[in-house]
């Protein structure tokens, strides 16, 4: 039996790829809004949020399409090694998780709304130290907070979703204060946007963006905010 090159690539992507498509296989409805939120703060001042939910390609792709997001940078957080490389993080020995740093305008999109997107379409928060076919703490579900208010809101929202039995299994997402964020190598930035025909992206990440548009139409930005166009993560 002859297997086409595209099928081989797709199988290969599933074996070594970063994650499976988002928390919900079918679009469905977005999760309920958080009961609490972080105050907007100083008008015009951007805030920072950091999320980890499997491979950063898909996480970045979703947040780049959210209105009010000024930048979404793939990188590493949660570990002990300074300036880690992709190879080091992939070994699982650094303690880092593949993460995305989101700079956003709270006057346009709140931290609570970003949390809602994160749990609704970015990943499956019930998978412990993995996403889909990927295994290892580098693919864990985590929220790295940059303020006490973010920690309070994130923990309360997880408790809210668990109490409502929003998922069939308990949420395993860990919430901890951000110690440091290290941007990933340039070739990882905007990967889903610049490689739309890559079988892995087609299978795993493109559906996340589609679900974002379907569940959060008022937030969906058809023109993604690209990291490279801003000179980031060079």
């Amino acid at each position: 039996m002859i297997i086409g090159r595209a099928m081989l690539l797709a199988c290969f992507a599933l074996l070594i790829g970063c994650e499976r498509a988002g928390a919900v296989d079918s679009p469905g409805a977005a999760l309920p809004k958080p009961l609490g939120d972080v105050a907007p703060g100083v008008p015009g001042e951007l805030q920072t949020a950091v999320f980890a939910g499997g491979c950063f390609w898909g996480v970045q792709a979703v947040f780049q399409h959210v209105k009010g997001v000024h930048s979404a940078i793939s990188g590493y957080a949660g570990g002990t090694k300074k300036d880690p490389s992709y190879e080091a993080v992939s070994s699982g020995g650094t303690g880092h998780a593949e993460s995305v740093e989101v700079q956003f305008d709270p006057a346009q999109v709140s931290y609570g709304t970003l949390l809602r997107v994160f749990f609704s379409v970015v990943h499956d928060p019930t998978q412990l130290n993995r996403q889909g076919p990927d295994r290892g703490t580098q693919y864990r579900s985590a929220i790295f907070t940059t303020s006490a208010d973010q920690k309070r809101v994130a923990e309360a929202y997880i408790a809210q979703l668990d109490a409502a039995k929003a998922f069939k299994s308990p949420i395993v997402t860990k919430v901890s204060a951000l110690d440091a964020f290290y941007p990933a190598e340039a070739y990882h930035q905007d990967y889903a946007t610049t490689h739309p025909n890559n079988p892995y992206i087609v299978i795993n990440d493109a559906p996340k963006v589609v679900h974002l548009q379907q569940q959060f139409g008022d937030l969906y930005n058809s023109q993604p905010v690209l990291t490279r166009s801003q000179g980031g993560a060079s």
Side-chain angles (χ1 to χ4, degrees):
M1 179 179 179
I2 298 176
I3 301 177
R5 182 171 181 270
M7 185 177 293
L8 284 172
L9 286 172
C11 293
F12 184 65
L14 287 173
L15 287 172
I16 68 169
C18 298
E19 73 207 299
R20 191 178 182 278
V24 183
D25 289 331
S26 59
L31 294 170
K33 296 179 180 180
L35 297 177
D37 211 333
V38 175
V42 180
E45 186 174 287
L46 299 181
Q47 294 182 7
T48 301
V50 178
F51 301 99
C55 173
F56 38 34
W57 293 347
V59 180
Q60 182 189 44
V62 171
F63 285 117
Q64 285 180 322
H65 281 277
V66 174
K67 292 179 181 178
V69 169
H70 282 232
S71 70
I73 300 174
S74 291
Y76 315 109
T80 56
K81 184 176 178 59
K82 294 183 178 180
D83 299 314
S85 66
Y86 176 71
E87 289 73 19
V89 173
S90 295
S91 73
T94 67
H96 286 294
E98 291 194 14
S99 308
V100 172
E101 179 190 73
V102 179
Q103 295 276 340
F104 65 100
D105 182 351
Q108 294 182 276
V109 60
S110 71
Y111 181 70
T113 298
L114 294 180
L115 285 174
R116 191 177 177 215
V117 169
F118 178 64
F119 285 107
S120 293
V121 301
V122 168
H123 78 312
D124 182 345
T126 69
Q127 295 186 354
L128 181 63
N129 294 332
R130 68 186 182 92
Q131 278 297 303
D134 298 310
R135 302 293 185 273
T137 57
Q138 65 270 33
Y139 301 112
R140 66 187 181 271
S141 174
I143 299 170
F144 300 103
T145 58
T146 61
S147 70
D149 282 343
Q150 283 191 2
K151 182 176 186 294
R152 171 182 54 81
V153 171
E155 291 179 340
Y157 190 45
I158 291 172
Q160 175 187 336
L161 293 178
D162 272 339
K165 298 189 183 303
F167 297 92
K168 293 180 180 179
S169 301
I171 293 172
V172 298
T173 308
K174 297 297 183 183
V175 179
S176 59
L178 178 68
D179 182 41
F181 177 83
Y182 302 97
E185 295 82 348
Y187 67 89
H188 284 299
Q189 306 301 333
D190 310 324
Y191 193 90
T193 300
T194 57
H195 298 78
N197 297 320
N198 181 302
Y200 175 76
I201 299 300
V202 172
I203 294 169
N204 300 299
D205 294 334
K208 297 174 187 286
V209 178
V210 172
H211 291 173
L212 173 71
Q213 183 178 15
Q214 292 173 331
Q215 295 183 18
F216 297 92
D218 57 334
L219 285 176
Y220 179 74
N221 182 0
S222 61
Q223 297 298 321
V225 179
L226 300 183
T227 301
R228 292 179 181 178
S229 66
Q230 299 181 357
S234 59

